[in-house]
Amino acid sequence: MNSFGLDRRILVLCWLLVCALYSAAAAKSPWLAPEALTASADGRRLFVACVRGECVVVVDIGQGRVTRSISLPGPPTGLALSADGGRLVVTCGSPASRVCLLDPDKGGVTRTLPAGHAACAPVFSPDGQTLYVCNRFNHDVSVFDLRTGKETRIGVRREPIAAAVTPDGRWLLVANHLPHQQANTDHVGAVISIIDTQSGQVVDELWLPSGSGGLNDVRISPDGKYAVATHLVARFQMPTTQLTRGWMNTNAKSLIDLERREVVNTILLDTADRGAANPWGVAWTGDGTKLVVALAGTHELSITDFPAMMEKIKGLTPAVPVASLPLYMAVARGPLDISNDLSFLTGMRERRGLPPGDLGPRGIAAIGRTVYTAKNLTDTVSV
Protein backbone atom coordinates (compact mmCIF):
# COMPACT_ATOMS: atom_id res chain seq x y z
CA MET A 1 0.00 0.00 0.00
CA ASN A 2 1.40 3.42 -0.85
CA SER A 3 1.80 6.09 1.85
CA PHE A 4 -1.28 8.02 0.66
CA GLY A 5 -3.42 4.90 0.92
CA LEU A 6 -2.10 4.14 4.38
CA ASP A 7 -2.61 7.74 5.60
CA ARG A 8 -6.13 7.70 4.21
CA ARG A 9 -6.90 4.41 5.98
CA ILE A 10 -5.64 5.83 9.28
CA LEU A 11 -7.70 9.01 8.92
CA VAL A 12 -10.84 7.06 8.03
CA LEU A 13 -10.37 4.71 10.98
CA CYS A 14 -9.81 7.63 13.35
CA TRP A 15 -13.01 9.27 12.10
CA LEU A 16 -15.01 6.07 12.54
CA LEU A 17 -13.64 5.68 16.04
CA VAL A 18 -14.33 9.23 17.15
CA CYS A 19 -17.95 9.02 15.95
CA ALA A 20 -18.44 5.70 17.70
CA LEU A 21 -16.73 6.86 20.88
CA TYR A 22 -19.01 9.88 21.16
CA SER A 23 -22.16 7.81 20.73
CA ALA A 24 -20.91 5.10 23.11
CA ALA A 25 -20.76 7.25 26.21
CA ALA A 26 -22.64 10.47 25.52
CA ALA A 27 -24.83 9.80 28.55
CA LYS A 28 -21.84 10.28 30.88
CA SER A 29 -20.02 13.19 29.26
CA PRO A 30 -19.78 14.86 25.84
CA TRP A 31 -16.01 14.29 26.12
CA LEU A 32 -14.50 10.91 26.78
CA ALA A 33 -10.76 11.55 27.33
CA PRO A 34 -9.40 8.08 26.40
CA GLU A 35 -6.21 7.50 28.32
CA ALA A 36 -5.27 3.83 28.67
CA LEU A 37 -5.80 0.88 26.34
CA THR A 38 -4.94 -2.77 26.00
CA ALA A 39 -5.33 -5.34 23.25
CA SER A 40 -6.62 -8.90 23.28
CA ALA A 41 -4.04 -11.62 22.68
CA ASP A 42 -5.66 -12.60 19.37
CA GLY A 43 -5.26 -9.05 18.09
CA ARG A 44 -8.96 -8.63 17.34
CA ARG A 45 -10.08 -6.19 20.02
CA LEU A 46 -8.94 -3.06 21.82
CA PHE A 47 -10.24 -2.04 25.23
CA VAL A 48 -10.04 1.73 25.77
CA ALA A 49 -10.48 3.36 29.20
CA CYS A 50 -12.15 6.79 28.95
CA VAL A 51 -11.66 9.03 31.98
CA ARG A 52 -14.38 11.64 31.52
CA GLY A 53 -16.78 9.20 29.90
CA GLU A 54 -16.36 6.85 32.91
CA CYS A 55 -16.47 3.83 30.65
CA VAL A 56 -14.47 1.27 28.73
CA VAL A 57 -15.20 1.03 25.02
CA VAL A 58 -14.48 -2.12 23.05
CA VAL A 59 -13.11 -1.65 19.54
CA ASP A 60 -13.35 -4.32 16.86
CA ILE A 61 -10.02 -3.80 15.11
CA GLY A 62 -11.02 -5.53 11.89
CA GLN A 63 -14.16 -3.46 11.49
CA GLY A 64 -12.61 -0.27 12.85
CA ARG A 65 -15.56 0.51 15.09
CA VAL A 66 -16.72 0.46 18.69
CA THR A 67 -18.92 -2.56 19.41
CA ARG A 68 -19.62 -2.10 23.11
CA SER A 69 -19.45 0.48 25.91
CA ILE A 70 -19.12 -0.71 29.51
CA SER A 71 -20.15 1.84 32.16
CA LEU A 72 -17.98 2.21 35.26
CA PRO A 73 -18.72 3.53 38.76
CA GLY A 74 -16.05 6.23 38.42
CA PRO A 75 -13.25 7.61 36.24
CA PRO A 76 -10.88 4.82 35.10
CA THR A 77 -7.20 5.21 35.86
CA GLY A 78 -5.89 2.04 34.25
CA LEU A 79 -6.88 -1.33 32.83
CA ALA A 80 -5.41 -4.77 32.21
CA LEU A 81 -6.51 -7.95 30.47
CA SER A 82 -5.61 -11.40 31.81
CA ALA A 83 -3.36 -13.53 29.60
CA ASP A 84 -6.23 -15.88 28.74
CA GLY A 85 -8.46 -12.92 27.82
CA GLY A 86 -11.15 -14.02 30.27
CA ARG A 87 -10.95 -11.12 32.73
CA LEU A 88 -10.66 -7.40 32.25
CA VAL A 89 -9.81 -5.29 35.29
CA VAL A 90 -10.21 -1.52 35.57
CA THR A 91 -9.13 0.74 38.43
CA CYS A 92 -11.47 3.61 39.28
CA GLY A 93 -9.32 6.01 41.24
CA SER A 94 -10.56 8.17 44.13
CA PRO A 95 -9.67 8.63 47.80
CA ALA A 96 -11.49 5.30 48.29
CA SER A 97 -10.76 3.58 44.98
CA ARG A 98 -12.48 0.59 43.48
CA VAL A 99 -11.03 -2.20 41.38
CA CYS A 100 -13.64 -3.46 38.94
CA LEU A 101 -13.45 -6.87 37.31
CA LEU A 102 -15.34 -7.01 34.02
CA ASP A 103 -16.46 -9.69 31.61
CA PRO A 104 -14.76 -8.61 28.36
CA ASP A 105 -17.25 -10.55 26.23
CA LYS A 106 -20.58 -9.78 27.88
CA GLY A 107 -19.70 -6.42 29.45
CA GLY A 108 -20.63 -5.22 32.90
CA VAL A 109 -18.87 -5.27 36.25
CA THR A 110 -18.82 -8.76 37.77
CA ARG A 111 -16.89 -8.00 40.96
CA THR A 112 -15.57 -4.99 42.86
CA LEU A 113 -12.62 -4.84 45.26
CA PRO A 114 -11.74 -1.87 47.51
CA ALA A 115 -8.30 -0.32 47.05
CA GLY A 116 -6.27 2.64 48.29
CA HIS A 117 -6.07 6.33 47.42
CA ALA A 118 -5.94 7.00 43.65
CA ALA A 119 -5.53 3.36 42.64
CA CYS A 120 -4.09 2.91 39.15
CA ALA A 121 -1.96 0.73 36.86
CA PRO A 122 -3.43 -2.75 37.47
CA VAL A 123 -1.24 -5.70 36.45
CA PHE A 124 -2.13 -9.41 36.34
CA SER A 125 0.37 -12.08 37.30
CA PRO A 126 1.16 -14.39 34.35
CA ASP A 127 -1.19 -17.08 35.73
CA GLY A 128 -4.00 -14.56 36.21
CA GLN A 129 -4.53 -15.47 39.87
CA THR A 130 -2.90 -12.38 41.40
CA LEU A 131 -3.60 -8.73 40.71
CA TYR A 132 -1.23 -5.87 41.54
CA VAL A 133 -2.58 -2.31 41.87
CA CYS A 134 -0.65 0.91 42.57
CA ASN A 135 -2.17 3.10 45.30
CA ARG A 136 -0.61 6.36 44.28
CA PHE A 137 -1.18 8.57 47.33
CA ASN A 138 -0.83 5.76 49.87
CA HIS A 139 2.65 5.11 48.43
CA ASP A 140 2.05 1.38 48.29
CA VAL A 141 0.97 -1.50 46.06
CA SER A 142 -2.07 -3.71 46.71
CA VAL A 143 -1.65 -7.42 46.04
CA PHE A 144 -5.00 -9.19 45.54
CA ASP A 145 -5.41 -12.96 45.61
CA LEU A 146 -8.27 -13.20 43.12
CA ARG A 147 -9.29 -16.65 44.38
CA THR A 148 -10.00 -15.37 47.88
CA GLY A 149 -10.21 -11.59 47.46
CA LYS A 150 -7.57 -11.15 50.18
CA GLU A 151 -5.43 -8.01 49.92
CA THR A 152 -1.95 -7.32 51.22
CA ARG A 153 0.07 -4.10 50.83
CA ILE A 154 3.71 -3.47 49.90
CA GLY A 155 5.17 -0.04 50.60
CA VAL A 156 7.21 1.76 47.93
CA ARG A 157 8.87 5.17 47.78
CA ARG A 158 6.55 7.89 46.48
CA GLU A 159 3.44 7.93 44.27
CA PRO A 160 3.58 4.61 42.40
CA ILE A 161 1.97 5.30 39.05
CA ALA A 162 2.90 2.45 36.70
CA ALA A 163 3.87 -1.19 37.03
CA ALA A 164 4.91 -4.21 34.98
CA VAL A 165 5.57 -7.85 35.83
CA THR A 166 8.27 -10.00 34.24
CA PRO A 167 7.09 -12.86 31.99
CA ASP A 168 8.14 -15.44 34.60
CA GLY A 169 6.20 -13.57 37.29
CA ARG A 170 9.27 -13.23 39.51
CA TRP A 171 9.68 -9.43 39.61
CA LEU A 172 7.18 -6.59 39.74
CA LEU A 173 8.61 -3.25 38.58
CA VAL A 174 6.94 -0.16 40.04
CA ALA A 175 7.58 3.35 38.71
CA ASN A 176 7.49 6.00 41.44
CA HIS A 177 6.21 9.25 39.94
CA LEU A 178 8.28 11.70 42.02
CA PRO A 179 11.56 11.81 43.96
CA HIS A 180 11.37 11.01 47.67
CA GLN A 181 14.54 12.77 48.80
CA GLN A 182 14.90 16.26 50.24
CA ALA A 183 15.42 18.83 47.51
CA ASN A 184 18.76 20.03 48.90
CA THR A 185 20.59 16.69 48.69
CA ASP A 186 23.26 15.93 46.09
CA HIS A 187 21.05 13.46 44.19
CA VAL A 188 17.33 14.08 43.83
CA GLY A 189 15.61 11.60 41.54
CA ALA A 190 12.75 9.13 41.36
CA VAL A 191 13.37 5.39 41.63
CA ILE A 192 12.02 2.17 40.12
CA SER A 193 11.07 -0.23 42.91
CA ILE A 194 11.63 -3.94 42.25
CA ILE A 195 9.37 -6.26 44.24
CA ASP A 196 10.01 -9.97 44.71
CA THR A 197 6.54 -11.38 44.12
CA GLN A 198 7.25 -14.50 46.19
CA SER A 199 8.37 -12.71 49.36
CA GLY A 200 6.19 -9.64 48.79
CA GLN A 201 9.10 -7.31 49.55
CA VAL A 202 10.99 -4.55 47.76
CA VAL A 203 14.39 -6.09 47.04
CA ASP A 204 15.95 -3.30 45.02
CA GLU A 205 15.54 0.36 44.05
CA LEU A 206 16.91 1.56 40.73
CA TRP A 207 17.88 5.21 40.91
CA LEU A 208 17.32 7.37 37.86
CA PRO A 209 19.58 10.38 37.11
CA SER A 210 19.43 13.36 39.44
CA GLY A 211 16.47 15.55 38.49
CA SER A 212 14.40 12.61 37.24
CA GLY A 213 10.69 12.71 37.98
CA GLY A 214 7.32 12.78 36.28
CA LEU A 215 7.43 9.06 35.51
CA ASN A 216 4.43 7.93 33.47
CA ASP A 217 4.98 4.36 32.33
CA VAL A 218 7.20 1.30 32.62
CA ARG A 219 7.11 -1.68 30.24
CA ILE A 220 9.08 -4.90 29.80
CA SER A 221 10.50 -6.14 26.48
CA PRO A 222 8.93 -9.22 24.84
CA ASP A 223 11.98 -11.34 25.71
CA GLY A 224 11.87 -10.24 29.36
CA LYS A 225 15.46 -8.95 29.33
CA TYR A 226 14.85 -5.20 29.52
CA ALA A 227 12.42 -2.61 30.80
CA VAL A 228 11.93 1.02 29.83
CA ALA A 229 10.48 3.86 31.90
CA THR A 230 9.40 7.25 30.52
CA HIS A 231 10.13 10.36 32.58
CA LEU A 232 11.43 13.93 32.74
CA VAL A 233 14.91 15.09 33.75
CA ALA A 234 14.87 18.52 35.39
CA ARG A 235 18.22 20.31 35.47
CA PHE A 236 17.33 22.25 38.61
CA GLN A 237 20.94 22.30 39.81
CA MET A 238 21.93 24.38 36.76
CA PRO A 239 21.75 28.20 36.85
CA THR A 240 18.54 29.45 35.23
CA THR A 241 20.30 31.35 32.46
CA GLN A 242 19.33 29.32 29.38
CA LEU A 243 16.27 27.31 28.37
CA THR A 244 17.41 25.81 25.07
CA ARG A 245 19.42 22.62 24.50
CA GLY A 246 18.22 20.91 27.68
CA TRP A 247 19.62 23.30 30.26
CA MET A 248 16.39 23.40 32.26
CA ASN A 249 14.33 20.36 31.37
CA THR A 250 14.61 17.31 29.12
CA ASN A 251 12.36 14.39 28.23
CA ALA A 252 13.77 10.89 28.49
CA LYS A 253 13.45 7.14 28.67
CA SER A 254 15.57 5.00 30.97
CA LEU A 255 16.62 1.49 30.00
CA ILE A 256 16.84 -1.23 32.68
CA ASP A 257 18.71 -4.54 32.48
CA LEU A 258 16.46 -6.97 34.38
CA GLU A 259 18.98 -9.77 34.76
CA ARG A 260 21.51 -7.45 36.39
CA ARG A 261 18.78 -5.30 38.01
CA GLU A 262 20.42 -2.03 37.04
CA VAL A 263 19.79 1.06 34.93
CA VAL A 264 21.72 0.67 31.68
CA ASN A 265 21.38 4.33 30.76
CA THR A 266 19.02 7.27 30.28
CA ILE A 267 18.44 8.36 26.68
CA LEU A 268 17.05 11.78 25.80
CA LEU A 269 14.05 12.00 23.48
CA ASP A 270 14.60 15.67 22.62
CA THR A 271 16.89 16.97 19.91
CA ALA A 272 19.00 20.11 20.07
CA ASP A 273 16.39 22.20 18.26
CA ARG A 274 13.14 20.40 19.13
CA GLY A 275 11.68 19.17 22.39
CA ALA A 276 9.77 15.91 22.87
CA ALA A 277 7.40 17.04 25.59
CA ASN A 278 5.62 14.76 28.05
CA PRO A 279 6.72 11.21 27.18
CA TRP A 280 3.85 8.97 28.27
CA GLY A 281 3.03 5.40 27.27
CA VAL A 282 5.72 3.05 25.99
CA ALA A 283 5.56 -0.27 24.12
CA TRP A 284 7.71 -2.66 22.14
CA THR A 285 6.57 -4.15 18.87
CA GLY A 286 5.95 -7.90 19.09
CA ASP A 287 9.36 -8.78 17.63
CA GLY A 288 11.14 -6.48 20.08
CA THR A 289 12.89 -4.49 17.35
CA LYS A 290 11.04 -1.18 17.75
CA LEU A 291 10.56 0.79 20.94
CA VAL A 292 7.66 3.25 20.73
CA VAL A 293 6.99 6.17 23.10
CA ALA A 294 3.93 8.43 22.98
CA LEU A 295 4.93 12.11 23.14
CA ALA A 296 1.78 13.60 24.62
CA GLY A 297 2.98 17.22 24.49
CA THR A 298 4.12 17.25 20.85
CA HIS A 299 1.47 14.83 19.52
CA GLU A 300 3.95 12.35 18.06
CA LEU A 301 5.27 8.84 18.43
CA SER A 302 8.98 8.30 18.96
CA ILE A 303 9.97 5.05 17.21
CA THR A 304 13.48 3.75 17.98
CA ASP A 305 15.41 0.90 16.39
CA PHE A 306 16.04 -0.95 19.66
CA PRO A 307 18.89 -3.28 18.53
CA ALA A 308 20.72 -0.32 16.97
CA MET A 309 20.34 1.71 20.15
CA MET A 310 21.70 -1.16 22.26
CA GLU A 311 24.66 -1.61 19.92
CA LYS A 312 25.53 2.07 20.20
CA ILE A 313 25.26 2.04 23.99
CA LYS A 314 27.54 -0.99 24.28
CA GLY A 315 29.99 0.52 21.80
CA LEU A 316 30.50 3.58 24.03
CA THR A 317 31.76 1.60 27.02
CA PRO A 318 35.24 3.06 27.72
CA ALA A 319 38.17 1.26 29.33
CA VAL A 320 38.49 4.19 31.73
CA PRO A 321 35.35 6.17 32.72
CA VAL A 322 35.35 9.72 31.40
CA ALA A 323 33.92 12.78 33.08
CA SER A 324 30.38 13.77 32.13
CA LEU A 325 30.04 16.33 29.37
CA PRO A 326 28.72 19.83 30.04
CA LEU A 327 25.10 20.17 28.97
CA TYR A 328 25.90 22.43 26.05
CA MET A 329 28.16 19.85 24.35
CA ALA A 330 26.57 17.55 21.83
CA VAL A 331 28.07 14.10 21.30
CA ALA A 332 28.58 11.46 23.99
CA ARG A 333 32.14 10.16 24.39
CA GLY A 334 31.23 7.52 26.97
CA PRO A 335 28.25 6.05 28.83
CA LEU A 336 28.26 8.81 31.45
CA ASP A 337 27.51 11.34 28.71
CA ILE A 338 24.48 9.67 27.11
CA SER A 339 21.92 11.32 29.40
CA ASN A 340 23.18 14.73 28.24
CA ASP A 341 23.50 13.93 24.53
CA LEU A 342 20.65 15.44 22.49
CA SER A 343 21.94 13.76 19.33
CA PHE A 344 22.27 10.21 20.63
CA LEU A 345 19.27 8.76 18.74
CA THR A 346 20.18 10.39 15.42
CA GLY A 347 19.82 7.90 12.57
CA MET A 348 18.01 5.25 14.61
CA ARG A 349 14.84 7.05 15.69
CA GLU A 350 11.82 8.39 13.78
CA ARG A 351 9.46 11.00 15.20
CA ARG A 352 6.14 10.26 13.55
CA GLY A 353 3.51 13.00 13.82
CA LEU A 354 -0.11 12.01 14.32
CA PRO A 355 -2.79 12.98 11.78
CA PRO A 356 -3.70 16.70 11.89
CA GLY A 357 -6.01 17.49 14.79
CA ASP A 358 -5.20 14.31 16.76
CA LEU A 359 -3.86 15.53 20.07
CA GLY A 360 -2.52 14.13 23.32
CA PRO A 361 -1.38 10.52 22.74
CA ARG A 362 -1.04 8.71 26.06
CA GLY A 363 -1.70 4.99 26.30
CA ILE A 364 -0.09 2.63 23.78
CA ALA A 365 -0.78 -0.97 22.78
CA ALA A 366 1.19 -2.97 20.21
CA ILE A 367 -0.05 -5.95 18.21
CA GLY A 368 2.83 -7.35 16.18
CA ARG A 369 4.26 -4.35 14.35
CA THR A 370 1.06 -2.28 14.56
CA VAL A 371 0.76 0.27 17.35
CA TYR A 372 -2.44 1.82 18.69
CA THR A 373 -2.46 4.97 20.78
CA ALA A 374 -5.31 6.71 22.62
CA LYS A 375 -5.51 10.49 22.18
CA ASN A 376 -6.76 12.04 25.41
CA LEU A 377 -7.52 15.46 23.95
CA THR A 378 -9.44 14.47 20.80
CA ASP A 379 -11.30 11.24 21.71
CA THR A 380 -9.65 9.16 19.00
CA VAL A 381 -7.41 6.15 18.57
CA SER A 382 -4.67 6.21 15.93
CA VAL A 383 -3.11 3.23 14.18
Side-chain angles (χ1 to χ4, degrees):
M1 181 181 293
N2 60 36
S3 60
F4 175 77
L6 180 59
D7 291 343
R8 182 177 180 183
R9 184 173 72 97
I10 292 172
L11 289 171
V12 168
L13 179 55
C14 286
W15 175 246
L16 289 172
L17 287 174
V18 73
C19 292
L21 287 169
Y22 276 125
S23 63
K28 288 277 187 178
S29 168
W31 302 101
L32 300 186
E35 180 145 334
L37 75 168
T38 190
S40 61
D42 60 11
R44 295 180 179 179
R45 292 183 297 176
L46 285 177
F47 300 90
V48 187
C50 301
V51 178
R52 294 194 63 182
E54 297 185 11
C55 67
V56 170
V57 293
V58 184
V59 177
D60 184 303
I61 293 174
Q63 298 179 44
R65 66 182 184 90
V66 172
T67 58
R68 184 186 299 275
S69 175
I70 305 172
S71 295
L72 299 171
T77 52
L79 80 170
L81 189 66
S82 60
D84 63 5
R87 283 185 288 190
L88 179 69
V89 65
V90 181
T91 48
C92 294
S94 68
S97 302
R98 285 165 287 185
V99 178
C100 300
L101 277 76
L102 287 68
D103 185 322
D105 297 317
K106 299 178 181 178
V109 177
T110 61
R111 186 181 181 187
T112 301
L113 300 170
H117 196 321
C120 61
V123 177
F124 279 103
S125 62
D127 64 6
Q129 300 302 315
T130 304
L131 180 68
Y132 307 99
V133 173
C134 294
N135 299 308
R136 181 172 178 179
F137 296 119
N138 288 133
H139 316 298
D140 61 25
V141 175
S142 289
V143 182
F144 292 99
D145 183 330
L146 295 179
R147 291 163 292 197
T148 65
K150 181 181 178 181
E151 178 200 19
T152 57
R153 297 278 186 100
I154 304 170
V156 291
R157 281 295 186 176
R158 185 181 180 189
E159 295 190 27
I161 197 171
V165 67
T166 54
D168 61 5
R170 182 182 181 187
W171 309 115
L172 179 72
L173 277 66
V174 179
N176 294 273
H177 187 62
L178 294 176
H180 64 277
Q181 308 93 340
Q182 293 182 177
N184 60 351
T185 57
D186 290 338
H187 187 106
V188 182
V191 301
I192 305 289
S193 300
I194 298 185
I195 294 172
D196 183 325
T197 59
Q198 294 300 312
S199 67
Q201 296 181 340
V202 175
V203 295
D204 212 341
E205 290 181 330
L206 306 182
W207 288 49
L208 301 179
S210 188
S212 294
L215 277 72
N216 276 321
D217 202 3
V218 60
R219 286 291 180 266
I220 294 172
S221 61
D223 60 11
K225 294 181 178 180
Y226 297 99
V228 162
T230 54
H231 60 95
L232 309 180
V233 181
R235 315 287 179 162
F236 56 82
Q237 293 174 326
M238 296 290 293
T240 55
T241 57
Q242 180 176 322
L243 295 176
T244 58
R245 298 181 66 84
W247 275 59
M248 292 297 297
N249 191 74
T250 46
N251 303 276
K253 58 187 178 188
S254 283
L255 179 66
I256 298 162
D257 184 317
L258 292 177
E259 182 179 1
R260 301 173 65 179
R261 294 205 326 236
E262 66 180 21
V263 177
V264 175
N265 222 301
T266 295
I267 301 98
L268 300 183
L269 296 166
D270 311 290
T271 58
D273 59 352
R274 189 176 169 206
N278 295 348
W280 211 278
V282 59
W284 267 275
T285 54
D287 59 7
T289 62
K290 301 293 183 182
L291 181 59
V292 186
V293 177
L295 304 179
T298 55
H299 321 301
E300 301 171 284
L301 297 183
S302 169
I303 305 171
T304 301
D305 183 327
F306 185 69
M309 184 183 76
M310 290 302 302
E311 184 179 353
K312 185 172 182 179
I313 291 174
K314 294 175 181 177
L316 283 177
T317 303
V320 178
V322 297
S324 183
L325 285 173
L327 291 181
Y328 53 79
M329 296 187 71
V331 180
R333 297 174 300 181
L336 294 179
D337 303 327
I338 293 175
S339 61
N340 292 326
D341 185 354
L342 293 168
S343 66
F344 188 78
L345 292 177
T346 299
M348 65 186 76
R349 192 268 300 264
E350 175 190 359
R351 293 178 62 166
R352 187 174 300 180
L354 297 177
D358 278 4
L359 305 175
R362 294 192 179 182
I364 282 184
I367 303 174
R369 290 179 62 84
T370 302
V371 172
Y372 301 85
T373 181
K375 274 73 64 60
N376 180 265
L377 301 181
T378 49
D379 290 358
T380 54
V381 172
S382 279
V383 186

